[in-house]
Amino acid sequence: QLQLQESGPGLVKPSETLSLTCTVSGGSINTESYYWGWIRQPPGKGLEWLGNLYYSGSTYYNPSLKNRVTISMDTSKNQFSLKLNSVTAADTAVYYCARVLFAAHCGSSSCSHHYYGMDVWGLGTTVTVSS
Amino acid sequence: QSILTQPPSVSAAPGQKVTISCSGTSSNIANNYVSWYQQLPGTAPKLLIFDNIKRPSGIPDRISASKSGASATLDITGLHTGDEADYYCGTWDNSLNTWVFGGGTKLTVL
């Protein structure tokens, strides 16, 4: 059974970098079958997608984060990570990692990927930005 | 303000049916796959529906969904108090180049 577990500091100072890791057990992240993503939820608010990562190293980020976000993977540890720099109080949230399902639509010469949704989620980790 | 519009709250009596709507545009729902999530208080979201209408293994058939044009709906029948949760729709937006979630709908089972 696939499980995801977020870890990292619960408190980050303003202007510093938030760093979280998602450890995956029960399956390999080094697979062409899924993407891996990060989603956050500010206190009392809705869900916000941060970005996705494919085993090839391709990444896709929420443009609203204005180049502050980086997602990477360490296949030797079966982990993927989130870095968010120049944080402010607005980045205070519960951060979730998730596995992402997708469909491949293939033409004569190439395929495009279309997300179905996030089917396995971690429990989430709370990050507070405060001095 | 969310790109996908959901009613803030819905309610129904135990045993009854509720429908939650998710309204979008040609940039998102109309041309991409919709998924639905249930978030019980204090827990992570759980996938209920993907690929517009498909249920993952373990999701009961009293939960169903549909999509027509730029709108999607989630139906839950045979309501019980354990269904009280926040429900979110989600899809890709081709114009924004981002995954978007609805603002969420709080379901109360009276």
Side-chain angles (χ1 to χ4, degrees):
Chain A
Q1 180 183 353
L2 190 80
Q3 292 186 319
L4 285 71
Q5 177 69 61
E6 306 87 351
S7 59
L11 181 64
V12 181
K13 290 182 167 55
S15 81
E16 295 191 345
T17 296
L18 179 161
S19 295
L20 297 175
T21 296
C22 182
T23 301
V24 179
S25 57
S28 174
I29 64 171
N30 193 19
T31 172
E32 63 181 5
S33 299
Y34 304 102
Y35 280 76
W36 305 93
W38 288 95
I39 302 98
R40 71 181 179 181
Q41 186 172 33
K45 296 187 178 181
L47 302 168
E48 180 184 26
W49 175 75
L50 302 180
N52 287 346
L53 169 70
Y54 197 44
Y55 84 110
S56 62
S58 297
T59 51
Y60 305 87
Y61 300 131
N62 188 327
S64 72
L65 295 170
K66 297 179 182 178
N67 302 317
R68 294 196 295 132
V69 63
T70 302
I71 299 175
S72 59
M73 63 170 41
D74 185 338
T75 55
S76 67
K77 296 181 180 178
N78 217 36
Q79 297 174 333
F80 62 103
S81 299
L82 171 75
K83 290 189 186 300
L84 183 65
N85 57 38
S86 305
V87 297
T88 68
D91 295 309
T92 294
V94 177
Y95 285 76
Y96 298 99
C97 58
R99 187 176 76 173
V100 183
L101 303 174
F102 73 97
H105 295 179
C106 296
S108 57
S109 58
S110 64
C111 294
S112 60
H113 291 170
H114 301 260
Y115 301 130
Y116 278 141
M118 299 83 175
D119 72 328
V120 182
W121 294 64
L123 296 178
T125 188
T126 299
V127 178
T128 301
V129 178
S130 175
S131 54
Chain B
Q1 192 162 350
S2 301
I3 299 296
L4 305 179
T5 301
Q6 296 182 236
S9 63
V10 295
S11 61
Q16 296 302 302
K17 171 186 172 180
V18 72
T19 296
I20 299 173
S21 61
C22 178
S23 177
T25 69
S26 58
S27 295
N28 42 66
I29 289 178
N31 288 290
N32 291 291
Y33 298 110
V34 177
S35 51
W36 289 91
Y37 306 85
Q38 176 195 57
Q39 187 174 32
L40 297 168
T43 70
K46 175 183 178 181
L47 181 67
L48 297 178
I49 296 286
F50 70 99
D51 191 5
N52 303 325
I53 62 170
K54 295 180 180 177
R55 286 186 304 274
S57 173
I59 302 301
D61 61 6
R62 65 186 186 87
I63 292 173
S64 63
S66 62
K67 188 179 98 168
S68 178
S71 294
T73 59
L74 176 72
D75 290 323
I76 307 175
T77 61
L79 284 170
H80 52 74
T81 55
D83 293 323
E84 290 198 330
D86 293 323
Y87 292 82
Y88 294 90
C89 58
T91 190
W92 183 259
D93 189 290
N94 297 329
S95 295
L96 299 175
N97 256 340
T98 188
W99 182 272
V100 291
F101 290 100
T105 299
K106 183 176 182 60
L107 169 61
T108 300
V109 181
L110 302 169

